[in-house]
Amino acid sequence: KMAKPGKIPKLPVQQLVILALCRLADPISFSSVFPYLPEMIESFNVPENEVGRWAGITSAVFSLSQAITGVLLHLENED
């Protein structure tokens, strides 16, 4: 809807609240993996002195994958 000339358009509060909740939920889902990551890496029989290194690599690859797929999904849904 277009606002009438000389009238200020209303702010879409409901849509902004939904976007804000999505924005807050993303870091929660990302950080919820960290407590379990070292145990998962250990279950793959990785030596104990290498667990931290592989946990860091795994979390970095996860972040990079989210960034790449986010861009690809945006391009796919652009039309």
Side-chain angles (χ1 to χ4, degrees):
K1 273 180 160 177
M2 293 295 294
K4 293 181 181 176
K7 197 171 187 184
I8 298 173
K10 287 180 94 178
L11 192 62
V13 176
Q14 184 179 8
Q15 292 172 339
L16 291 174
V17 168
I18 292 170
L19 286 174
L21 289 173
C22 291
R23 231 7 232 149
L24 291 172
D26 186 47
I28 292 170
S29 67
F30 175 69
S31 62
S32 66
V33 149
F34 294 128
Y36 310 106
L37 198 53
E39 188 174 337
M40 184 186 80
I41 301 292
E42 284 176 354
S43 74
F44 298 144
N45 296 322
V46 173
E48 191 174 331
N49 62 341
E50 294 283 318
V51 169
R53 177 173 166 235
W54 283 105
I57 291 171
T58 304
S59 62
V61 168
F62 178 72
S63 297
L64 187 62
S65 299
Q66 275 193 320
I68 291 170
T69 56
V71 171
L72 292 176
L73 287 172
H74 168 74
L75 293 174
E76 180 68 28
N77 294 316
E78 197 171 48
D79 294 330

